[in-house]
Amino acid sequence: QKINIPKYTSLILTSRNSVNHYFRICEEMRILVPNSLKYFCISEAVSYYLQKYIAYRKRKIYSANNNFTELVELMEKHEQDNFLLVSSDFIREDIISLLDESQMNYTRGVFFKTVPTNVSKIDLSSFNILVFYSPRDIDSLFNNFPNFQQNNTKIAVFGEATYKAAIDANLEIDIKAPSGTCPSMSMALDVYLGTKKPHHQKK
């Protein structure tokens, strides 16, 4: 309510959800999205998703390769712009840090909230491995299963923030990615399960 959406000349979009909710809010508030608006997207997948709402080829759209540092570098070429970061109530701290350090003229707008899905009816003991991709996933686990005991269940985590959240929750980590030999979770799982040998990178 404190954000005047039409005054911003550029959007920072880090997910498809942010795209959906920006256009949803504009529609509900009867705000006409100008053709001159610039879109700075974290990935090509997010930028292509804009086609759901705008004539893609006629707009100024910039995308990074899933790298927020790279996205900030693109934004710095448009330093006169007024940026609106379309986000949820939870956002990675490094994104805010990079934007603050860049001294870009930006405002963070919370357009949607992240809430745990109710999966309490699932029998977790029937699974050998639980895989987590974000700290919110760890929160969701204990939100759905307050008395969760790890016992023989293996835990896999992706990213340092997820790893820290799992450690803080007293979980024992069996699989961690990315690493020098396993840049993806699927590779880390393959190696752990013995289906593939890790590729050692040459120095």
Side-chain angles (χ1 to χ4, degrees), residues 81-132:
D81 284 31
N82 199 4
F83 291 89
L84 175 61
L85 171 62
V86 182
S87 79
S88 71
D89 49 341
F90 291 112
I91 193 166
R92 283 171 24 208
E93 291 180 9
D94 62 316
I95 288 178
I96 299 299
S97 297
L98 284 166
L99 286 171
D100 289 343
E101 289 169 10
S102 72
Q103 298 183 331
M104 301 295 294
N105 184 17
Y106 87 95
T107 300
R108 177 190 173 192
V110 176
F111 278 65
F112 57 104
K113 291 184 177 180
T114 304
V115 295
T117 300
N118 185 352
V119 293
S120 57
K121 293 181 180 179
I122 292 177
D123 179 12
L124 286 189
S125 63
S126 66
F127 298 95
N128 302 111
I129 302 174
L130 300 181
V131 183
F132 300 93

Side-chain angles (χ1 to χ4, degrees), residues 140-176:
S140 182
L141 171 68
F142 289 98
N143 185 286
N144 280 284
F145 306 96
N147 301 315
F148 175 73
Q149 297 291 324
Q150 184 173 349
N151 299 323
N152 294 323
T153 303
K154 307 301 180 185
I155 301 292
V157 296
F158 189 87
E160 287 299 323
T162 312
Y163 175 76
K164 184 179 183 302
I167 293 295
D168 290 345
N170 296 316
L171 294 174
E172 185 176 326
I173 313 303
D174 300 279
I175 307 156
K176 184 185 175 192

Side-chain angles (χ1 to χ4, degrees), residues 4-200:
N4 180 15
I5 292 176
K7 83 171 187 178
Y8 295 95
T9 56
S10 295
L11 297 182
I12 307 170
L13 302 168
T14 59
S15 69
R16 292 180 181 184
N17 276 333
S18 61
V19 174
N20 285 333
H21 289 289
Y22 173 78
F23 285 97
R24 174 183 64 82
I25 293 291
C26 286
E27 183 178 357
E28 289 176 2
M29 296 179 69
R30 302 186 189 284
I31 294 172
L32 181 65
V33 179
N35 292 345
S36 59
L37 189 66
K38 298 175 186 175
Y39 303 86
F40 290 82
C41 307
I42 189 63
S43 67
E44 285 192 349
V46 174
S47 67
Y48 286 144
Y49 190 70
L50 285 166
Q51 294 178 99
K52 182 176 178 181
Y53 298 96
I54 61 173
Y56 188 82
R57 294 184 182 279
K58 298 180 180 180
R59 301 294 184 269
K60 294 177 181 177
I61 300 169
Y62 308 87
S63 61
N65 189 24
N66 269 319
N67 184 318
F68 202 80
T69 301
E70 184 182 322
L71 188 63
V72 169
E73 290 173 358
L74 289 171
M75 291 165 54
E76 287 175 338
K77 296 175 183 177
H78 304 262
E79 59 183 359
Q80 301 303 319
D81 284 31
N82 199 4
F83 291 89
L84 175 61
L85 171 62
V86 182
S87 79
S88 71
D89 49 341
F90 291 112
I91 193 166
R92 283 171 24 208
E93 291 180 9
D94 62 316
I95 288 178
I96 299 299
S97 297
L98 284 166
L99 286 171
D100 289 343
E101 289 169 10
S102 72
Q103 298 183 331
M104 301 295 294
N105 184 17
Y106 87 95
T107 300
R108 177 190 173 192
V110 176
F111 278 65
F112 57 104
K113 291 184 177 180
T114 304
V115 295
T117 300
N118 185 352
V119 293
S120 57
K121 293 181 180 179
I122 292 177
D123 179 12
L124 286 189
S125 63
S126 66
F127 298 95
N128 302 111
I129 302 174
L130 300 181
V131 183
F132 300 93
Y133 281 89
S134 78
R136 302 283 79 76
D137 294 348
I138 304 294
D139 293 341
S140 182
L141 171 68
F142 289 98
N143 185 286
N144 280 284
F145 306 96
N147 301 315
F148 175 73
Q149 297 291 324
Q150 184 173 349
N151 299 323
N152 294 323
T153 303
K154 307 301 180 185
I155 301 292
V157 296
F158 189 87
E160 287 299 323
T162 312
Y163 175 76
K164 184 179 183 302
I167 293 295
D168 290 345
N170 296 316
L171 294 174
E172 185 176 326
I173 313 303
D174 300 279
I175 307 156
K176 184 185 175 192
S179 67
T181 54
C182 299
S184 69
M185 177 56 75
S186 58
M187 286 181 68
L189 288 168
D190 280 339
V191 170
Y192 182 81
L193 297 170
T195 55
K196 285 186 179 179
K197 293 182 179 179
H199 295 289
H200 294 286

